[in-house]
Amino acid sequence: MSGERQKTRPEQLGLAFPTEGRGEAPTAGGRGTEALTAKRGNQNPADTERVMEEVCEQENCKQALRRVQANRGSPGIDAMKVGELADYLDQHWPAIREQLLSGTYRPRPVKRVEIPKPDGGVRKLGIPTVLDRFIQQAMLQVLQKRWDRTFSDHSYGFRPGRSAHQAVERAQQYVTAGYRWVVDLDLERFFDRVNHDKAMARIAERISDKRMLKLIRAFLSAGVMEDGLVSAVEEGTPQGGPLSPLISNLVLDELDRELERRGHRFVRYADDSNVYVRSQRAGQRVMASLTAFITQRLKLKVNSAKSAVARPQERKFLGFSFTNEAVPRRRVAPKALLRFKERVRELTGRTRGVSLAKMVEELTPYLRGWRNYFAFCQTPTVLRDLDKWLRHRLRAVLWKQWKVGRRRFAELRKRDIGLQLAAKTAGSAHGPWRLAHSPALSYALPIAYFDSLGLPRLLVADQPTPPNRRMRTRMSGGVAGARG
């Protein structure tokens, strides 16, 4: 069966999850933005002893199945594909449900997958089986609606109604308010170093259903299959499972509360934490004390090579940075721009041997995703320059494909380029990169041509452009000019 996304038939959902007498489990509420000092309080034992029954409710399971199918994803160690899950549950759900309710379900080990990091090295993912992902998703939906409202208002990662853009905007507010130094904390291999005992202790403070506690512990210690061998794990929560982000937020909630207790202005998105202070000396003091807290209390490690006390414009946060102005603006971080250009160069290589239309087709998903995220920046000139640079590369590709001067001359003439200009450009010896900027190619392949191919623009039409500002320049004799 192909791994393509398939629609779940209503009759399959009905067969797999027979009615159990209770209505749909409520979804995670609102935007998850409680007051700054949201109360953590322990859950009442009366409503935490039967959590597994909520997990196995019909509507909760239907919602979990739809979510897993929408997320697609790779098979685990059993090679079952997402498209096969509904039929499998149709046959085996009664037995699986009985195992969950009796506390005897045993997760399978996760499959180790390594993906390269943008800044070098690899990130190790643990891919659970499709069935285990479904069960984790059902657990997540129940636990998140209970726990999310108790998390800090400064936490934005993996929470309903919250986003990376909101985290960046809040960081920008702190910088605008005069907190012009940032303590940028990077936790070394956070997901691989989560202490199981501390995580389970935090979870046990919130739920008392022993079956649920046993199952979460089983997911944490299920083991990893790598090169056909299964090895045990004593720490860490595998990235790739739906439950891992919730557990990470629960573990780092202790850090949030400590920062709140100290009165700091901070933003956290998953394991990326930025604390904003007024001076470098204060930042160094905060860095030292937080490093000790994270090491001793959370049993985690701060990556000293990637952590720093610096000006916000010198650091990146979730792909963004800020301009060094009285009212700072959001800008795309230099490293994010570098990664973008590296990826585009890979897709637009002049020797790839694919047509321009095919090249644009391959570029489109990447450009749309990048634009949807980074259109949040407030420096549209950068996006406009990237659009020009991208079209320049594509013109060079087409010029290379035309190869000889005779064909180049013919192609330019077909596009209504004047006879003298076409002859001069087609016979030039400067090479395609120089010619991609020539007037002839710009006229022959205008912006409208690339629009007709479906090439997305990075600078969206409704994105505001900041007004021109009058610049003060130093003149001879100390007189300042005011012309822009």
Side-chain angles (χ1 to χ4, degrees), residues 59-207:
E59 292 303 321
N60 186 59
C61 290
K62 286 182 179 180
Q63 182 181 348
L65 178 59
R66 287 191 292 266
R67 176 63 65 182
V68 171
Q69 290 175 326
N71 290 341
R72 304 170 81 172
S74 303
I77 63 172
D78 61 354
M80 182 191 295
K81 299 178 181 178
V82 172
E84 302 170 356
L85 178 59
D87 289 333
Y88 183 86
L89 291 173
D90 189 31
Q91 300 177 28
H92 300 95
W93 172 244
I96 296 170
R97 181 176 180 274
E98 179 59 31
Q99 292 175 21
L100 292 172
L101 294 177
S102 63
T104 59
Y105 182 82
R106 291 291 178 269
R108 303 287 296 277
V110 299
K111 182 172 70 174
R112 174 69 75 208
V113 176
E114 294 183 351
I115 60 174
K117 291 184 178 180
D119 52 354
V122 294
R123 175 178 286 109
K124 294 184 177 181
L125 300 183
I127 308 298
T129 64
V130 174
L131 177 60
D132 284 343
R133 293 208 298 271
F134 161 74
I135 294 174
Q136 286 193 36
Q137 179 64 36
M139 295 166 62
L140 171 68
Q141 292 165 182
V142 171
L143 297 178
Q144 191 167 54
K145 71 184 179 185
R146 292 168 173 263
W147 297 351
D148 188 77
R149 63 180 179 271
T150 69
F151 291 152
S152 169
D153 185 58
H154 299 270
S155 169
Y156 288 86
F158 309 114
R159 297 183 60 187
R162 294 191 159 219
S163 67
H165 287 171
Q166 292 174 344
V168 173
E169 189 172 23
R170 187 157 192 175
Q172 183 182 14
Q173 293 170 0
Y174 291 142
V175 178
T176 304
Y179 295 86
R180 296 299 178 109
W181 288 88
V182 60
V183 181
D184 187 356
L185 287 167
D186 183 271
L187 300 183
E188 183 174 315
R189 297 174 54 202
F190 166 71
F191 286 93
D192 296 332
R193 294 182 181 274
V194 171
N195 185 282
H196 287 180
D197 292 335
K198 285 191 67 66
M200 291 306 303
R202 300 299 303 276
I203 295 171
E205 293 174 358
R206 295 170 180 257
I207 56 176

Side-chain angles (χ1 to χ4, degrees), residues 165 168 172 312-324 328-341 366 369-386 458-459 463:
H165 287 171
V168 173
Q172 183 182 14
Q313 61 268 20
E314 299 171 358
R315 306 295 293 179
K316 68 178 180 69
F317 182 52
L318 304 177
F320 290 91
S321 186
F322 304 106
T323 60
N324 185 23
R329 292 176 294 153
R330 299 183 296 271
R331 65 186 179 98
V332 183
K335 285 187 177 180
L337 288 175
L338 181 62
R339 288 197 296 270
F340 172 82
K341 288 192 172 184
Y366 177 72
W370 197 92
R371 179 190 64 189
N372 291 343
Y373 185 74
F374 285 105
F376 188 62
C377 78
Q378 295 172 313
T379 53
T381 303
V382 174
L383 303 183
R384 184 182 298 110
D385 290 344
L386 287 177
L458 299 179
L459 181 62
Q463 185 163 352

Side-chain angles (χ1 to χ4, degrees), residues 272-343:
D272 291 330
S273 300
N274 278 7
V275 184
Y276 294 87
V277 295
R278 290 190 181 274
S279 69
Q280 183 179 19
R281 185 176 179 181
Q284 292 170 344
R285 188 167 57 245
V286 170
M287 174 68 81
S289 62
L290 287 182
T291 300
F293 176 84
I294 290 170
T295 303
Q296 297 169 12
R297 289 284 298 276
L298 301 184
K299 308 301 181 185
L300 299 170
K301 185 177 180 181
V302 175
N303 189 331
S304 57
K306 294 184 178 181
S307 301
V309 177
R311 296 287 191 180
Q313 61 268 20
E314 299 171 358
R315 306 295 293 179
K316 68 178 180 69
F317 182 52
L318 304 177
F320 290 91
S321 186
F322 304 106
T323 60
N324 185 23
E325 300 170 317
V327 180
R329 292 176 294 153
R330 299 183 296 271
R331 65 186 179 98
V332 183
K335 285 187 177 180
L337 288 175
L338 181 62
R339 288 197 296 270
F340 172 82
K341 288 192 172 184
E342 288 175 349
R343 180 58 177 156

